[in-house]
Amino acid sequence: MAVTKQLARISVEYLADCRQSASESPDGDPHWDPQPADVLDLDWAPILLERACELAGLDDVHLNALRQATDGDSAIDLGFLNTHPHAIGPFGPAPTALSAAQAAHVSELLVHMNMPAILAALPADDTQTASLIGYGADKIAGDPRKYLLKHFNALREFYLEASQRHLLIVLWWD
């Protein structure tokens, strides 16, 4: 099984409940189980999206928003989600999060990104595009632009709904 980037939309209350469960449980179990509709698997798209945007010359404000959308922030303490044997991201760095306000800000910037135009700036040849992007883009079956557009659209919609529902985002590799 491949390790992929995961995101979950959750409420502050749900995070507090998980924190409390972890502190009260003898083995630190936070009872982390977000609703499937509020979880997004971005596969390996984050670094590929970032690289495609860099190649297309995306401005720093929007590029940083994309990075924040896929990297999170370490300001919210999620150490209780990263303890054995219940770690949600045992194969990567510690989980990160964005507050509801941060998620809303990122959502606003993602909505204004014209990903079809960004992807159109890449070479028309799939092999050449994959070679320029690097990071395993040559392993994508089919058109790498379609793969990136699909994952970007999913990310943008995920953040838009989080913003509308005033939810925070937790990110991890699993």
Side-chain angles (χ1 to χ4, degrees), residues 10 21-22 28 39 61-62 74 91 93 111 133 136 139:
I10 62 169
S21 292
V39 175
V61 170
H62 288 91
S74 60
F91 304 111
V111 165
I133 292 173
K139 306 286 189 265

Side-chain angles (χ1 to χ4, degrees), residues 8 11 37-38 41 63 65 74 85 94 96 102 108 112 114-115 119 122-123 136 143 155-156 158 162 170:
S11 67
D38 286 322
D41 183 342
L63 187 57
S74 60
T96 59
Q102 288 173 308
E108 173 83 20
H112 294 291
N114 185 346
M115 189 55 69
L119 297 174
L122 299 174
D143 184 347
L155 180 69
R156 181 173 51 198
F158 194 80
V170 173

Side-chain angles (χ1 to χ4, degrees), residues 1-6 41 87-92 172-174:
M1 175 191 255
V3 178
T4 60
K5 188 64 159 201
Q6 305 291 310
D41 183 342
I88 66 169
F91 304 111
W172 70 99
W173 286 98
D174 186 21

Side-chain angles (χ1 to χ4, degrees), residues 4-158:
T4 60
K5 188 64 159 201
Q6 305 291 310
L7 291 83
R9 294 181 291 231
I10 62 169
S11 67
V12 171
E13 295 82 13
Y14 181 78
L15 187 62
D17 288 346
C18 288
R19 189 182 313 274
Q20 182 175 351
S21 292
S23 70
E24 293 174 354
S25 171
D27 65 351
D29 187 354
H31 297 284
W32 173 260
D33 191 22
Q35 295 296 314
D38 286 322
V39 175
L40 175 64
D41 183 342
L42 274 185
D43 197 40
W44 280 93
I47 190 67
L48 304 178
L49 284 167
E50 181 180 337
R51 181 70 178 132
C53 289
E54 288 172 347
L55 289 168
L58 182 66
D59 65 274
D60 287 344
V61 170
H62 288 91
L63 187 57
N64 287 333
L66 177 63
R67 288 179 181 134
Q68 192 173 26
T70 59
D71 292 342
D73 188 296
S74 60
I76 298 174
D77 177 21
L78 299 176
F80 69 95
L81 292 176
N82 200 34
T83 56
H84 182 74
H86 303 288
I88 66 169
F91 304 111
T96 59
L98 293 178
S99 69
Q102 288 173 308
H105 178 71
V106 165
S107 174
E108 173 83 20
L109 292 167
L110 292 177
V111 165
H112 294 291
M113 287 177 60
N114 185 346
M115 189 55 69
I118 291 167
L119 297 174
L122 299 174
D125 179 72
D126 294 348
T127 304
Q128 192 177 7
T129 293
S131 177
L132 276 174
I133 292 173
Y135 298 99
D138 59 327
K139 306 286 189 265
I140 297 170
D143 184 347
R145 287 171 297 280
K146 286 183 182 178
Y147 171 89
L148 293 173
L149 184 59
K150 173 186 166 189
H151 285 83
F152 176 78
N153 287 340
L155 180 69
R156 181 173 51 198
E157 292 303 315
F158 194 80

